[in-house]
Amino acid sequence: MSTLQRVRCKATAHPLAMDAVLAASVLVCMVAGSFVEPRHRDNVSWVLRTPDVLSLVLMALGAAALVFRRRAPMTVLALTCAVSVVESVTGDPRAPVAMSAVIALYTVASTTDRPTTWRVGLLTMTVLTGTAMAVGSLPWYAQENLAIFAWTGIGATAGDAVRSRRAFVQAIRERAERAERTREEEARRRVAEERLRIARDLHDVVAHHIALVNVQAGVAAHVMDKRPDQAKEALAHVREASRSALNELRATVGLLRQSGDPEAPTEPAPGLDRLDELTGTFRSAGLHVEVARADQGTALPAAVGLAAYRIIQEALTNVQKHAGPQAKAEVSVVRVGPNIEITVLDDGTGEGETPAGGGGHGLLGMRERVTALRGTLTTGPRYGGGFRVHAILPVKSRTPTGEDPA
């Protein structure tokens, strides 16, 4: 820390003590100046003299008032102007008592606004300069009178400049703090969005594979005694579904690893290119699924492909869990203009087992995925029985903030 910085720290911590030091310094300067008298004749510019007792008293009063210049700047300015006026009337020659008024005017200018500085500065210059010109022993155009005008103007200008600089520095500091808060809020928002996305992925993975495991385990338990071959086949499906669940969970949770972790996932996110594999797992679990595609091999952005995959996965999982054992499902993927439409229909009776508590987060997760891509989602029961899920996703996906979610 430099010497100037240490002085500033001490001034901030002990303002009254620093003002007392300033007042003592001003008093020394005024007393030293009072022993010198300007001369403009006999080729002599300055001569020594002894100041009057009244001048010494006025200088002491003006300096003492400066100790309280931060607490009551206007009052200190009025007091120092008063002793300066008295010195102008009684002093012959005058002592530099006006120096205390200049310091007080600087303090007022540095702590108030600019209009107040203009009004107070003009009033102070007019009173002190006018009094010195009107009642002094020197002619009105004397340098001493003009010096009072100049020094009061300098004090007001310097104080206004210091106040402007302080306001500028404070504005920069507030702007920097506001920018820092904005960055922190943006970081928290992005973290929350990432957590929500990971939660949706975990829900989709767990709901799909656990539903398959549950169905196949039930089949195995039902036919274990009478048809052991079919029970072994069901258990093989259970093992395959559980392995797939573990792999997807590992890949999803792996997103939380550090960037330098060598075990971070490298496999791309699933898309519609894995639709046959997805529907095959449901067929293995006993669900009759028909697929119709008319997307003409459209290459989808990763975010759109992942959303379409998860929507179909969640819709078929709901059919498996809630539509009943004899339900059939139809999946269609159609390219319509700039959008791709995903439709999942079933003809179930809805008599299957429902989740504990009356509902889950599957439909909410689908809606959040579609909304993030600025698409539309329609869900509801079909006329005559069954359920319908219809999603419209823009092929060129853009988030509400204009960023590519991929």
Side-chain angles (χ1 to χ4, degrees), residues 155-194:
T157 303
D160 182 72
V162 170
R163 179 196 56 78
S164 299
R165 182 181 180 279
R166 288 174 181 170
F168 177 72
V169 172
Q170 181 65 23
I172 292 178
R173 185 179 295 110
E174 292 177 354
R175 190 179 300 113
E177 293 175 353
R178 186 164 54 251
E180 184 66 24
R181 289 195 299 269
T182 302
R183 284 194 295 270
E184 293 177 354
E185 292 173 358
E186 179 67 14
R188 287 194 294 268
R189 183 185 67 81
R190 290 182 179 273
V191 169
E193 291 179 353
E194 185 66 13

Side-chain angles (χ1 to χ4, degrees), residues 241-322:
S242 61
R243 181 185 298 111
S244 299
L246 289 175
N247 291 336
E248 292 203 32
L249 283 173
R250 186 179 299 110
T252 303
V253 176
L255 296 174
L256 302 177
R257 299 180 184 272
Q258 299 296 329
S259 58
D261 195 330
E263 297 182 4
T266 58
E267 183 181 357
L272 291 182
D273 55 338
R274 295 174 56 182
L275 180 58
D276 293 338
E277 177 184 346
L278 174 65
T279 55
T281 61
F282 284 98
R283 293 190 183 100
S284 299
L287 178 64
H288 182 75
V289 182
E290 296 181 359
V291 179
R293 300 189 64 171
D295 51 349
Q296 293 82 36
T298 302
L300 299 178
V304 178
L306 176 61
Y309 181 90
R310 295 304 187 194
I311 290 171
I312 295 173
Q313 182 184 56
E314 178 62 33
L316 292 179
T317 301
N318 289 338
V319 174
Q320 182 77 51
K321 292 167 62 177
H322 308 307

Side-chain angles (χ1 to χ4, degrees), residues 6-301:
R6 286 196 293 268
V7 171
R8 288 179 177 176
C9 292
K10 291 182 180 179
T12 303
H14 308 284
L16 188 61
M18 296 303 297
D19 288 339
V21 173
L22 175 64
S25 302
V26 172
L27 178 61
V28 170
C29 293
M30 289 191 296
V31 172
S34 65
F35 281 92
V36 180
E37 176 185 355
R39 280 289 178 87
H40 305 286
R41 60 180 183 275
D42 299 333
N43 294 327
V44 178
S45 298
W46 305 93
V47 295
L48 294 176
R49 70 180 180 89
T50 302
D52 298 334
V53 176
L54 180 59
S55 296
L56 293 175
V57 172
L58 294 176
M59 286 186 286
L61 290 175
L66 293 179
V67 177
F68 307 99
R69 66 187 185 96
R70 298 177 193 262
R71 296 184 178 182
M74 287 293 186
T75 303
V76 171
L77 177 60
L79 181 58
T80 54
C81 287
V83 297
S84 299
V85 168
V86 172
E87 175 62 19
S88 297
V89 173
T90 60
D92 188 19
R94 294 193 299 268
V97 180
M99 183 183 298
S100 61
V102 173
I103 300 298
L105 179 59
Y106 164 84
T107 303
V108 171
S110 64
T111 55
T112 57
D113 53 29
R114 182 161 294 172
T116 303
T117 299
W118 276 99
R119 290 192 296 268
V120 175
L122 289 175
L123 179 61
T124 302
M125 287 188 290
T126 301
V127 171
L128 296 184
T129 307
T131 302
M133 290 180 176
V135 300
S137 57
L138 297 175
W140 68 271
Y141 54 84
Q143 293 182 359
E144 288 79 1
N145 297 335
L146 298 179
I148 294 176
F149 179 84
W151 279 108
T152 50
I154 291 174
T157 303
D160 182 72
V162 170
R163 179 196 56 78
S164 299
R165 182 181 180 279
R166 288 174 181 170
F168 177 72
V169 172
Q170 181 65 23
I172 292 178
R173 185 179 295 110
E174 292 177 354
R175 190 179 300 113
E177 293 175 353
R178 186 164 54 251
E180 184 66 24
R181 289 195 299 269
T182 302
R183 284 194 295 270
E184 293 177 354
E185 292 173 358
E186 179 67 14
R188 287 194 294 268
R189 183 185 67 81
R190 290 182 179 273
V191 169
E193 291 179 353
E194 185 66 13
R195 287 177 176 174
L196 179 60
R197 187 188 67 80
I198 293 175
R200 288 198 301 260
D201 286 343
L202 286 175
H203 171 269
D204 294 343
V205 170
V206 173
H208 164 61
H209 291 289
I210 295 303
L212 294 181
V213 168
N214 180 61
V215 171
Q216 294 294 344
V219 171
H222 181 70
V223 300
M224 179 66 72
D225 296 331
K226 297 180 180 180
R227 286 175 288 176
D229 294 339
Q230 186 175 353
K232 290 180 180 180
E233 182 180 355
L235 292 177
H237 289 310
V238 168
R239 183 177 59 184
E240 183 64 26
S242 61
R243 181 185 298 111
S244 299
L246 289 175
N247 291 336
E248 292 203 32
L249 283 173
R250 186 179 299 110
T252 303
V253 176
L255 296 174
L256 302 177
R257 299 180 184 272
Q258 299 296 329
S259 58
D261 195 330
E263 297 182 4
T266 58
E267 183 181 357
L272 291 182
D273 55 338
R274 295 174 56 182
L275 180 58
D276 293 338
E277 177 184 346
L278 174 65
T279 55
T281 61
F282 284 98
R283 293 190 183 100
S284 299
L287 178 64
H288 182 75
V289 182
E290 296 181 359
V291 179
R293 300 189 64 171
D295 51 349
Q296 293 82 36
T298 302
L300 299 178

